[in-house]
């Protein structure tokens, strides 16, 4: 069960961010924002040569006191960041990976919408529903 | 920073080393002893054994050893760990006492010396009664000892001394005071180290032996204590592996203790200590992951153990300390060579520590905000007679009480109150700032720029509030509060200086240019429009937003302009009494509520002189405090904002982001775009201007343009002026070739201007109409823009103020200029045959063809041929096109017979002259001058020919009637011409005359040839052709002459006889 899911554009501004509970919204935004440090570092460490065959899933970015932050970068450098409650031990790496894959698929669907302007904030009901499903139940 | 009660004790944080005391050394007066001592303690490098040495007098009293307990049956421990225990074993109870004694083997007074030495050893032993501390003797000798076994006396005396001192042979050492002192010392201390290790080993055994007497119900605390002691002794023994193992056991035991609100702090304190030790050892063993895992476990276990809710801030403080200490350990390990990574570095721990400190701040704010009437309890429940607690983590007012029930609730209450009041004095911000700074430094090191900026922003929040408070104090003519952590004497001095300064009168106005930094109040100015008409008031808004944590009140807001006359109209002043500055009421106009945008609207009437000028806000001043007391002027250059804000505003305006709806009168700060200047433009004119004309204009004509002005104003307009003509800013050549005049009756020349400025027209009553006719002469074709500009004055009232407005209206019209007609000119022979060139002295025809290109009818008044000197008219030339009216596309032709005398061979031909056409528009009024268009006639090439044939021929012939033809052959050369003439017969004619002749013609003379043709057929008949051959000019072809000789003639049929006679009769 994720507590915060964010989609970050190539230029590092948010395309989509949602978190529960809502009262810690700012804190989650900061968490996502600061996790970009790690994403940047990981992406740059991977080097340019292997861009094509590289693994999109970045794994655990960093653990905070109460949460674990995972990252995923698409080939077009769009970042997905997921914050998971540390106490939730049911979520293994594999589950997180499959959640990211689902997120990526849904994001691709959003991009396929001819009325969606790439780079705009995502306002899609289908995407919303998918995120909601990931935030309430374990995939 | 002075140590707080949350800091770990020094003895916990240091590296435990075996404690060895040296006695019998006089380091002050004895140089040899001094040298020995220095060799022990000076420059101890890492490869030396870990011992902490101390020089003590031989009769030093060591801490007394309590009598050994034989049974634990009735013993109930009062706490986990005594506060003095660690220090006792680090610095007070030695593992080994070394007695230094100067004695050589060949000492003459051996006996006495031996017994003195034994006495010294005995004194030491007495003092260490009951302890397992070892004693060793070192003999300082002047002589270098012989190799063992060779010095018989030495072995004997050594054995005797050992006996006397009750020492084993292993505990007696000899230190020859020679050149190799350091070498001997190192060997000595290695031996000491072995002794110390034995000592600690026995201590561990001793503590372990207690275990069997303990039972789980009453001695739970002792289990922890003993385990801790074993671990600590192991550390002293430098057996870190076992130490770690034992600390881990101790840690588990701590958490097995029955926890209650009353002993929670003690448990947490001990758990914290043990955890610290474990982490420290893990880092030391280079197993940082173990350290991190242990720390995580520790935090997970303790996070929820808040303890007393009234002292919840203590838990936050403790948590903060745990993180900070771990961060310090981590950082230290990194300094010793450990590599940290971006996602696992001390910064995270410092950050977390800071978070807990922030939590502590909030909790203390909530729990400790007692009324000022609440007094600190007396007697002080926190006061302890001995000055220190007996056990770590216990409450001062109930030390050693293990019962979970509170025996004295009143005392408990007083104690909690005392702690709360104490907490109130803690400078939390300072703690937070320190931790955050540490975290920022770490994140900077590990390439986390976003993390860093995030924390930096948190950091600023904590500092800002304090600064603002002090600023307000200064404004109120009061002393500012000192920054925390200042030296008290310095604070006193500063306060005195402040007091002196405050009492000083005058120069209490400070202007702060806030452009260069981020101020606590933001300002944006915005004119409502980029331009204002002079007859409406100029309006603008000043937006202010406070970013500080508290509402602020200001006394005055003024706006300055580039034209300072407006400044007086744009000012808001506080009507409140002086001294209200600190009253943080959120009411009233002069108060800025943090985070809320305030709008102040201003309005003023622009001056008529400023029409066409820019009004610019040069600065916005916000005055805090009063001018009577002390005031600070926050001054923004221009319209406020900063470089970044304009970009932000643009982005905000462009983005499609949905903004939360705000109540009315509120705006989004980011979306306000600064507009610091506006144009004053003239009043909108209320007149109509009509232009009447008939385009296109014709080249050089006096083109008539009628301007009709009608006033639609409600009042009389004065001083109406008309400016008309070529619009400035076009091609410069146009100015030269365009002339404007008001008088159409005379042709204007180059002296006339292209633009007529400010023609006074007079006044116009409402509704009155006026007409003005302009004449424009355009000398070249092409399009021109003409400007008709009417200005006038009118009185109006704005906001009850009478002003004279100057209004103007302009109309632009583009007029095309075209040639009125095309003139084609050609030369033809008298036979109307086209001529490439003309022949000298031979008449030819000049034909002109005027084709009207004007869409309007043209009247050709007359035409005139102005011949060049080289041309002679054959007859008197006169115009054939006078008073001819040409409609569009019609043409008028004229024909002139000319002759050109021989001029020799001129390159490019001979000029013909000019053709002048006088014309005007048919529609133009009578007195408009006639335009003379001069057309330069083309040059013509003149050639001379040697022979010219002139023919006298009747205009027609009649069948069977004689037709006399006379050919005049003229010799045009200065030579005698031999001419061969032959006539070829034609079917249509019979003829008489010379059929073939050869003759001579003298220069300049002519020869006549007379023929009588007799036509045989009617119709257009070819004449018998005359072939002329010039013998002297072989190039001269007959072809050329044919031009001059008629070749055809019309032959009429013979009329009927009757008629013929009638004709004859007539």
């Amino acid at each position: 069960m994720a507590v915060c899911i964010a989609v970050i554009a190539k230029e590092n501004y948010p395309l989509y961010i949602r978190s529960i509970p809502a009262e810690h919204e700012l804190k989650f935004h900061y968490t996502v924002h600061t996790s970009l440090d790690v994403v940047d570092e990981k992406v740059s460490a991977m080097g340019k040569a292997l861009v094509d065959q590289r693994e999109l899933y970045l794994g655990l970015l960093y653990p905070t006191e109460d949460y674990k932050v995972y990252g995923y970068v698409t080939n077009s450098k769009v970042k997905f960041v997921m914050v998971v409650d540390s106490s939730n031990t049911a979520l293994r790496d594999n589950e997180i990976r499959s959640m990211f894959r689902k997120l990526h698929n849904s994001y691709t669907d959003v991009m396929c919408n001819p009325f969606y302007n790439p780079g705009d904030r995502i306002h899609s009901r289908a995407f919303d529903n998918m995120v909601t499903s990931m935030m309430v139940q374990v995939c | 920073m002075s140590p707080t009660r949350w800091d770990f004790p020094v003895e916990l944080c240091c590296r435990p080393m075996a404690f060895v005391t040296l006695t019998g050394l006089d380091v002050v007066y004895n140089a040899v002893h001094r040298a020995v001592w220095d060799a022990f303690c000076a420059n101890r490098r890492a490869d030396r054994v870990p011992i902490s040495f101390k020089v003590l007098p031989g009769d030093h009293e060591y801490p007394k050893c309590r009598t050994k307990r034989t049974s634990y049956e009735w013993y109930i421990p009062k706490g986990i760990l005594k506060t003095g225990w660690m220090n006792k074993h680090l610095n007070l109870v030695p593992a080994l006492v070394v007695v230094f004694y100067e004695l050589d083997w060949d000492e003459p007074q051996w006996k006495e010396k031996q017994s003195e030495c034994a006495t010294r050893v005995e004194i030491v032993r007495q003092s260490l009664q009951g302890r397992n501390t070892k004693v060793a003797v070192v003999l300082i000798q002047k002589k270098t000892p012989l190799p063992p076994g060779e010095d018989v006396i030495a072995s004997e005396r050594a054995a005797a001394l050992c006996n006397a001192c009750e020492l084993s042979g292993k505990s007696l050492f000899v230190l020859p005071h020679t050149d190799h002192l350091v070498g001997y010392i190192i060997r000595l201390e290695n031996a000491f180290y072995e002794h110390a290790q034995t000592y600690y080993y026995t201590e561990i055994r001793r503590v372990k032996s207690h275990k069997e007497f303990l039972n789980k119900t009453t001695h739970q605390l002792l289990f922890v204590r003993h385990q801790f002691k074993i671990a600590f002794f192991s550390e002293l023994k430098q057996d870190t592996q076992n130490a770690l193992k034992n600390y881990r056991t101790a840690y588990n035991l701590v958490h097995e203790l029955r926890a209650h609100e009353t002993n929670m702090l003690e448990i947490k304190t001990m758990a914290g200590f043990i955890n610290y030790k474990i982490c420290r050892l893990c880092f030391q063993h280079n197993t940082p992951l173990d350290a991190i895992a242990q720390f995580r476990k520790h935090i997970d276990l303790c996070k929820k153990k808040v303890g007393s809710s009234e002292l919840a801030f203590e838990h936050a403080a403790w948590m903060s300390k745990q993180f900070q200490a771990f961060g310090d350990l981590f950082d230290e390990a990194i300094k010793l060579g450990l590599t940290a990574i971006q996602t696992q570095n001390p910064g995270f721990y410092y950050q977390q520590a800071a978070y807990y400190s922030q939590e502590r701040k909030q909790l203390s704010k909530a729990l400790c905000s007692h009324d000022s009437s609440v007094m600190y309890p007396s007697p002080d429940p926190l006061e302890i007679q001995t000055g220190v607690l007996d056990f770590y983590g216990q409450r001062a007012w109930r030390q050693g009480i293990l019962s979970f029930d509170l025996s004295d609730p009143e005392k408990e209450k007083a104690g909690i109150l005392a702690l709360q009041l104490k907490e109130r004095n803690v400078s939390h911000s300072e703690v937070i700032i320190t931790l955050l700074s540490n975290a920022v430094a770490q994140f900077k090191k590990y390439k986390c720029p976003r993390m860093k900026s995030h924390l930096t922003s948190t950091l600023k929040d904590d500092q800002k509030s304090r600064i603002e408070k002090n600023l307000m104090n200064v404004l109120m003519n009061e002393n500012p509060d000192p920054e925390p952590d200042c030296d008290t004497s310095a604070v006193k001095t500063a306060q005195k200086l402040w007091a002196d300064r405050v009492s000083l009168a005058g120069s209490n106005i400070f202007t702060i240019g806030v452009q260069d930094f981020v101020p606590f109040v933001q300002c944006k100015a915005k004119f409502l429009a980029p331009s204002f008409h002079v007859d409406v008031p100029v309006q603008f808004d000043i937006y202010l937003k406070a970013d500080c944590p508290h509402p602020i009140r200001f006394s005055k807001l003024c706006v300055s302009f580039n034209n300072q006359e407006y400044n007086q109209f744009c000012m808001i002043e506080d009507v409140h009494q002086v001294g209200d500055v600190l009253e943080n009421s959120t009411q009233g106009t002069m108060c800025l509520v943090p985070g809320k945008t305030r709008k102040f609207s201003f309005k003023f009437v622009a001056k008529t002189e400023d029409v066409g000028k820019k009004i610019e806000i040069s600065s916005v001043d916000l005055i805090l405090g009063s001018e009577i007391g002390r005031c600070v002027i926050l001054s923004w250059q221009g319209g406020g904002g900063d470089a970044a804000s304009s970009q932000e505003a643009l982005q905000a305006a462009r983005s499609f982001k949905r903004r939360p709806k705000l109540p009315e009168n509120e705006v989004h700060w980011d979306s306000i775009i600064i507009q610091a200047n506006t144009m004053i433009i003239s009043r909108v004119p209320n007149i109509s201007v009509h232009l009447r004309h008939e385009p296109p204009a014709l080249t050089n004509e006096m083109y008539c343009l009628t301007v009709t002005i009608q006033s639609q104003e409600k009042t009389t307009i004065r001083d109406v002026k008309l400016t008309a003509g070529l619009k400035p800013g076009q091609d410069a050549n146009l100015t030269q070739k365009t002339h404007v005049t008001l008088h159409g009756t005379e042709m204007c020349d180059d002296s006339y201007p292209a633009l007529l400025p400010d023609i006074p027209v007079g006044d116009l009553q409402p509704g009155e109409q006026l007409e003005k006719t302009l004449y424009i002469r355009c000398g070249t074709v092409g399009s021109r823009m003409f400007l008709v500009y009417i200005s006038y004055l009118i009185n109006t009232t704005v906001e009850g103020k009478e002003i004279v407005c100057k209004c103007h209206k302009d109309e632009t019209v583009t007029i095309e200029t075209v040639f009125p007609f095309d003139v084609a000119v050609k030369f033809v022979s008298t036979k109307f045959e086209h001529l490439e060139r003309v022949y000298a002295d031979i008449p030819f025809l000049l034909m002109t063809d005027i084709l009207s290109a004007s869409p309007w009818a043209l009247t050709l008044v007359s035409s005139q041929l102005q011949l060049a000197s080289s041309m002679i008219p054959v007859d008197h030339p006169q115009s054939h096109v006078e008073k001819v009216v040409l409609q569009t596309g019609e043409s008028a032709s004229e024909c002139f017979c000319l002759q050109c005398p021989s001029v020799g061979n001129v390159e490019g031909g001979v000029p013909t002259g000019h053709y002048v056409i006088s014309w005007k528009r048919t529609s133009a009024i009578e007195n408009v001058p006639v335009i003379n268009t001069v057309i330069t006639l083309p040059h013509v090439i003149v050639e001379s020919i040697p022979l010219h044939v002139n023919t006298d021929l009747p205009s027609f012939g009649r069948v069977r009637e004689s037709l006399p033809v006379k050919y005049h052959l003229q010799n045009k050369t200065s030579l005698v011409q031999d001419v061969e003439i032959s006539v070829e017969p034609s079917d249509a004619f019979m003829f008489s005359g010379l059929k073939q002749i050869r003759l001579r013609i003298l220069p300049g003379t002519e020869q006549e040839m007379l023929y009588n043709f007799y036509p045989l057929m009617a119709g257009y008949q070819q004449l018998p052709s005359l072939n002329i051959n010039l013998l002297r000019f072989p190039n001269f072809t007959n072809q050329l002459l044919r031009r001059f000789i008629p070749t055809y003639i019309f032959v009429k049929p013979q009329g009927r006889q009757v008629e013929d006679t009638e004709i004859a009769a007539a």
Side-chain angles (χ1 to χ4, degrees), chain B residues 689-709:
Chain B
V689 176
H690 283 291
L691 302 180
R692 209 173 65 237
H693 59 124
E694 294 176 327
L698 306 177
T699 316
N700 281 332
E701 76 163 328
M702 297 295 277
Y703 186 68
C704 176
L705 178 69
T706 312
V707 182
T708 312
I709 307 161

Side-chain angles (χ1 to χ4, degrees), chain A residues 12 30 33-34 37 61 65, chain B residues 299 342-343 449-451 454:
Chain A
N12 287 342
Y30 270 127
H33 180 243
T34 49
D37 283 335
L61 297 182
E65 190 45 28
Chain B
I299 290 303
Q342 190 190 33
T343 54
R450 292 179 187 86
M451 199 66 154
H454 166 43

Side-chain angles (χ1 to χ4, degrees), chain B residues 244-301:
Chain B
L244 182 59
K245 206 175 85 191
N246 285 302
Y247 276 129
R248 281 191 194 278
T249 320
Y251 187 82
N252 291 336
L253 288 170
V254 163
H255 283 292
E256 278 171 25
L257 293 176
R258 266 188 301 149
H260 189 262
E261 215 175 273
T262 49
N263 70 343
M264 191 68 92
L265 183 65
E266 188 178 4
I267 291 174
K268 276 195 302 193
T269 306
M270 277 318 291
F273 285 5
I274 300 168
N275 173 67
Y276 180 82
K277 279 290 188 191
I278 296 172
C279 294
R280 197 185 153 87
L281 287 171
C282 286
F283 277 121
Q284 204 176 314
H285 290 158
N286 205 13
T287 51
L289 291 179
D290 288 355
I292 291 166
Q294 162 64 29
F295 184 70
R296 289 236 63 83
K297 183 176 133 196
H298 172 58
I299 290 303
D300 287 346
L301 283 169

Side-chain angles (χ1 to χ4, degrees), chain B residues 745-814:
Chain B
T745 49
E746 49 195 76
M747 188 52 99
C748 50
D749 55 28
D750 286 354
S751 64
Y752 282 75
L755 181 74
L756 285 177
D758 293 335
I759 309 156
V761 180
D763 297 354
L764 272 181
Q765 295 303 318
E768 199 183 322
Q769 185 173 324
L770 185 138
E771 231 182 54
K772 204 81 185 161
T773 310
L774 293 167
Y775 292 92
I776 302 161
R777 184 169 167 232
C778 305
T780 51
V781 293
S783 66
R784 290 166 170 79
M785 290 228 278
F786 289 93
L787 173 76
V788 176
Y789 173 99
I790 292 119
S791 67
Y792 61 92
L793 297 179
I794 186 162
N795 291 18
T796 71
T797 356
V798 192
E799 304 267 299
K801 204 175 155 190
E802 178 121 341
I803 56 165
V804 178
C805 289
K806 192 174 179 187
C807 303
H808 62 84
K809 181 160 186 161
D810 54 42
E811 289 277 332
T812 322
V813 64
T814 305

Side-chain angles (χ1 to χ4, degrees), chain B residues 10 30 56 160 239 310 318 320 366 379 390 392 415 461 471 509 561 610 629 678 725 782 844 900 925 946 976 1047-1048:
Chain B
V10 190
N30 190 322
L56 290 174
D239 181 1
E310 285 159 297
W318 179 83
S320 174
D390 286 348
Y392 283 119
D461 282 349
L471 174 67
I509 297 172
F561 296 90
D610 279 349
T678 191
F844 62 92
C900 179
I925 48 167
V976 176
T1047 48
Y1048 285 86

